[in-house]
Amino acid sequence: MPTPVTTPIKALVFDAYGTLYDVHSVVEACESRWPGHGMSLSQVWRCNQLEYTWLRSLMGRYADFETVTRQSLRYACRALELQLTPADEDMLIERYRRLTPFPEAAAALRALEPMPLAILSNGSPKMLDALVRSSGFDQSIGLVLSADAVRIFKPAPAVYRLATDALSLQTAEIGFVSSNCWDACGAKAFGFQVFWVNRSHAAPEELSITPDHVLDDLGQLATLVGAKDAKGAKP
Amino acid sequence: MPTPVTTPIKALVFDAYGTLYDVHSVVEACESRWPGHGMSLSQVWRCNQLEYTWLRSLMGRYADFETVTRQSLRYACRALELQLTPADEDMLIERYRRLTPFPEAAAALRALEPMPLAILSNGSPKMLDALVRSSGFDQSIGLVLSADAVRIFKPAPAVYRLATDALSLQTAEIGFVSSNCWDACGAKAFGFQVFWVNRSHAAPEELSITPDHVLDDLGQLATLVGAKDAKGAKP
C-alpha cells in the first residue's frame, strides 16, 4: 500500500515521457524496420537520450529534446550496427510525437479533475504540443511546461522551479508524478511531494533520496490525493 | 591514422577510470562471488556509477566517488537480484582501489616523460591515491587532481578547470586523454586538445562535439605529441 498523503496537495505535475506516455511504444515501428532489433534499439535509444540530456546539461551545451532524441537514435543505430536513413529517422521522430499513452492514463487524469493538472517535461514545446493533442490529454491538463524555457534538463532544480513559478505554489503543495525514479528523486530533492509510479517494480535508484509514495500505476493517484475534495480550477 | 597534433602540447592530463585503469578488472571478483553474473554485474555497476555522478551533479547533491561507487554497486545487485552482503561490498570496493592498469599504460607513460603528466579524475583523493600507488604510476605522474575539490563531477567545466589552474597553462596547451567518449567530448567543449582512446572501436557519442584525435591505445600518444622533444619538468 502506498504511504498516505499528509500535507494537502493543491496541484499535480506530471512527467510526460515514460510516465503518461510509453516511450517504448516505438518498438513496433523499430521492429518492422529492423526485424529482431525493435526492443534493443528502443532501449539503447532511450538510455542514451537520457544520458545526453544529463551530459549536455552538465557541459553547458543545451540542445532541445528533439535534437537530443534524433542524436541518441543515430548513436543507438550505430552502436547496434543498424542502417538508419534520413527517412527512417524522420519516421521514428514522427512516431515519437504520437507515443501511446499508458492504458490507465486517460481515466486517471479524468478522475483527478478539478485538481489543477500540469505536465513538466524535458520535451520541446513542439514535441509536447503534438503529444498532448494526439492523446487528447489537453482536455484534462491545463498547463504544459517545457525544460526548454530554462535550457537545461531535469534533474536540474531550475526545471522543477518552472512548476512552482507557473502555479504560484509552495514546493510542498505540489504533487509531482514520475515513473522515472531519477526524476522522482530530483523532484524530491527540490521539495515536491513525490509519487513514483513504478509499473515494472524496478529497483529504486540509490541516490540517498526517496520518493514519498510508490504506486503501481496512475490509477492509484485519485484516492491518495483525495481528488474529490480538491479545490480550485484548472490552471 | 590519428590526426597529427598541430598546437604544441605542454602537459598531458589523463582520465583514470576506463582510461589508465580497467574498471572491468573487477569482473573476476564478481564472477567468483556470483558465478555467471560477473560481466553483467560489472557493466550495470559501471553504467549506474556514471549516471549517478551526472544525476548528483545536476541535482546539486554531490557525494564523493566512493559513496557513488558503493551505491551503484548496491543498485546493480538489486537490479540483477544478486545478494550483496556488507562484506561483499567492502571486498569489491577494496578491489576497486587496485584496478588493473591497461596492459600498455605503464610503458606509454614512461615513453611520455619528461612531459608533465597528470591525472584528472572523478575519483576521491583516497581512491586515487591507492590506485596510483598500487599501479606504481606515481613514478610517472606528478599530479593527481580529483573532482572532489569542486564537489561536482565531469563533464562539468569546473572539473576540467582544475587542470588549467594547477598547471598554469592555457586550455589548448593541455592534451587531455580519455577512453570515455563523453569525457573526451566534455574536455573538448572546455577547450583542451583531446585524445579519445577508443580501444573497443565503439561508436562515438552524438553530442555535436568531436575529440581532436582518436587512438587505438595509449601507446600511440608519445609519437603524436612528440614526447622526445617535450620541454619542462614534472609538475
Side-chain angles (χ1 to χ4, degrees):
Chain A
M1 276 300 294
T3 321
V5 170
T6 46
T7 312
I9 286 173
K10 296 190 177 166
L12 279 170
V13 176
F14 293 83
D15 170 54
Y17 297 99
T19 300
L20 295 175
Y21 303 97
D22 184 358
V23 290
H24 296 298
S25 52
V26 294
V27 165
E28 211 172 306
C30 293
E31 184 65 25
S32 341
R33 172 60 184 88
W34 297 280
H37 301 280
M39 182 50 87
S40 56
L41 175 57
S42 183
Q43 283 168 343
V44 176
W45 181 10
R46 171 65 172 168
C47 179
N48 278 271
Q49 179 196 48
L50 292 175
E51 292 194 355
Y52 287 0
T53 61
W54 304 327
L55 289 167
R56 281 185 169 276
S57 296
L58 273 176
M59 288 161 63
R61 295 265 173 151
Y62 178 82
D64 73 21
F65 198 62
E66 180 167 322
T67 303
V68 168
T69 301
R70 283 184 183 271
Q71 291 188 324
S72 50
L73 172 60
R74 286 177 209 158
Y75 172 85
C77 285
R78 287 181 75 166
L80 298 173
E81 300 181 345
L82 305 174
Q83 208 206 341
L84 177 78
T85 65
D88 295 331
E89 186 179 305
D90 288 343
M91 176 273 286
L92 285 173
I93 294 296
E94 183 50 38
R95 186 72 195 76
Y96 222 90
R97 293 199 184 100
R98 295 173 291 106
L99 290 173
T100 311
F102 284 101
E104 84 282 14
L109 292 175
R110 276 195 304 272
L112 288 161
E113 299 173 17
M115 168 88 74
L117 306 179
I119 280 177
L120 174 63
S121 167
N122 278 340
S124 64
K126 205 172 70 174
M127 289 173 83
L128 290 172
D129 183 60
L131 206 53
V132 171
R133 282 192 297 120
S134 76
S135 58
F137 288 0
D138 49 350
Q139 299 301 308
S140 305
I141 288 175
L143 181 68
V144 179
L145 301 167
S146 164
D148 195 62
V150 285
R151 297 181 62 80
I152 194 166
F153 293 108
K154 300 186 211 174
V159 182
Y160 300 113
R161 194 167 298 123
L162 287 170
T164 47
D165 288 355
L167 293 162
S168 301
L169 291 172
Q170 301 296 311
T171 52
E173 295 173 329
I174 292 177
F176 184 84
V177 186
S178 183
S179 294
N180 296 295
C181 189
W182 59 268
D183 183 24
C185 293
K188 178 65 190 166
F190 183 71
F192 293 141
Q193 283 195 61
V194 175
F195 301 84
W196 175 31
V197 180
N198 185 11
R199 290 187 183 88
S200 61
H201 301 273
E205 302 290 358
E206 293 276 348
L207 290 163
S208 308
I209 200 155
T210 314
D212 300 285
H213 315 279
V214 186
L215 317 183
D216 293 327
D217 64 47
L218 296 165
Q220 295 178 300
L221 267 174
T223 313
L224 265 175
V225 302
K228 297 298 170 203
D229 305 317
K231 296 287 184 288
K234 278 192 238 175
Chain B
M1 278 299 295
T3 321
V5 170
T6 47
T7 313
I9 285 173
K10 297 190 177 164
L12 279 170
V13 176
F14 293 83
D15 170 55
Y17 297 99
T19 300
L20 295 175
Y21 303 97
D22 185 359
V23 291
H24 296 299
S25 52
V26 295
V27 165
E28 212 174 306
C30 292
E31 185 65 27
S32 342
R33 172 62 184 86
W34 297 282
H37 300 280
M39 182 50 87
S40 56
L41 174 56
S42 183
Q43 283 169 343
V44 177
W45 183 8
R46 171 66 172 169
C47 179
N48 278 271
Q49 179 196 48
L50 291 175
E51 292 194 355
Y52 287 1
T53 61
W54 304 328
L55 289 166
R56 281 185 170 277
S57 294
L58 273 177
M59 288 160 63
R61 295 265 173 150
Y62 178 81
D64 74 21
F65 198 62
E66 179 166 324
T67 303
V68 168
T69 301
R70 284 185 182 273
Q71 290 187 324
S72 49
L73 172 61
R74 285 177 209 158
Y75 172 86
C77 286
R78 286 181 76 166
L80 297 173
E81 300 181 345
L82 305 174
Q83 208 206 339
L84 177 79
T85 66
D88 295 331
E89 185 178 305
D90 288 342
M91 177 273 287
L92 285 173
I93 293 295
E94 182 50 37
R95 187 71 195 77
Y96 222 89
R97 292 198 185 101
R98 295 172 292 106
L99 290 174
T100 311
F102 284 101
E104 84 283 14
L109 292 175
R110 276 196 304 273
L112 288 162
E113 298 174 15
M115 170 87 76
L117 306 179
I119 280 177
L120 174 63
S121 166
N122 277 341
S124 65
K126 205 171 71 175
M127 290 172 83
L128 290 172
D129 184 59
L131 205 53
V132 171
R133 282 192 296 118
S134 76
S135 59
F137 288 0
D138 49 352
Q139 299 300 309
S140 306
I141 288 175
L143 182 68
V144 178
L145 300 167
S146 164
D148 196 61
V150 285
R151 298 181 61 79
I152 193 165
F153 292 108
K154 300 187 216 172
V159 182
Y160 300 113
R161 196 167 295 123
L162 288 170
T164 46
D165 288 355
L167 294 162
S168 299
L169 290 172
Q170 300 297 312
T171 52
E173 296 173 328
I174 293 177
F176 184 84
V177 186
S178 183
S179 294
N180 297 295
C181 189
W182 59 268
D183 184 22
C185 293
K188 178 65 190 165
F190 183 70
F192 293 142
Q193 282 195 61
V194 174
F195 301 84
W196 175 32
V197 181
N198 185 10
R199 291 188 182 86
S200 61
H201 300 271
E205 302 290 358
E206 293 276 348
L207 289 163
S208 309
I209 201 156
T210 314
D212 299 286
H213 315 279
V214 186
L215 317 183
D216 293 327
D217 64 46
L218 296 166
Q220 296 178 298
L221 267 176
T223 312
L224 265 176
V225 303
K228 297 298 168 202
D229 305 318
K231 296 286 182 289
K234 278 191 235 176

